[in-house]
Amino acid sequence: MSGGGANGSHNGGLNEMVVESVRVHMLSSQHVVILRDTGHNRYLPIWIGPWEANAIAMRLQGVTPERPMTHDLFSQALSELGVTLKRIIVSDLAEDTFRARLQLLVDGRELDLDARPSDAIALAVRGGVPIFATDSVLDRAGVTPEGAEEEKLSVFREFVNSLNVDLPDEPDEGRRSE
């Protein structure tokens, strides 16, 4: 079930994601939010603006600003109006631009709104709601670390093999004389 509507509603299955980190690229000073697939060893890096990066990072660190930031205000307004954010979906990738969907519940009616992923993620971390990415987005932009586990183990193996330890051939405490 893959294919492509412009709104990303027909892009296949959904994969639950969590915010792994928010980082700054040292050379370009650009910000990136890294989502981790909870079911597989893959990541989705999304380049975002500094304000959105700050909004996501502050919430993840438990920092509450003295005055509400835009995402706090919007989240509070939704709540006061009886609107529930059910989940967000990173739904599409077109011309190097990600798209997201806010799935809302209003008076028993479901609403689906177009959003920038950075804003959607900032709202999701405030509301503690699930974050998803479609199969097609992960197939195109997901990153799977190559041999990360094997590399960690190989370093350990090299260390153990470098040890010059004579182990006894038998578990007996004493040695037999011939």
Side-chain angles (χ1 to χ4, degrees), residues 5-18:
N7 67 1
S9 61
H10 301 293
N11 287 334
L14 298 178
N15 304 274
E16 188 163 4
M17 310 294 286
V18 293

Side-chain angles (χ1 to χ4, degrees), residues 23-81:
R23 301 179 184 194
V24 178
H25 186 262
M26 296 305 284
L27 298 176
S28 67
S29 295
Q30 291 186 326
H31 296 76
V32 62
V33 61
I34 300 177
L35 302 179
R36 179 177 50 83
D37 186 338
T38 62
H40 302 90
N41 186 26
R42 61 184 169 177
Y43 298 85
L44 181 62
I46 301 175
W47 298 97
I48 61 176
W51 301 111
E52 294 81 5
N54 189 43
I56 295 167
M58 283 180 65
R59 188 58 177 205
L60 291 175
Q61 295 169 350
V63 175
T64 304
E66 190 175 309
R67 303 285 301 148
M69 295 176 67
T70 305
H71 298 97
D72 299 314
L73 179 62
F74 189 67
S75 183
Q76 184 179 359
L78 289 175
S79 179
E80 291 294 323
L81 294 169

Side-chain angles (χ1 to χ4, degrees), residues 41 145-154:
N41 186 26
E146 292 183 23
E149 291 301 316
E150 184 59 35
E151 187 177 317
K152 289 178 189 173
L153 289 175
S154 70

Side-chain angles (χ1 to χ4, degrees), residues 133-147:
T134 61
D135 284 340
S136 65
V137 167
L138 284 170
D139 289 346
R140 291 176 61 199
V143 177
T144 302
E146 292 183 23

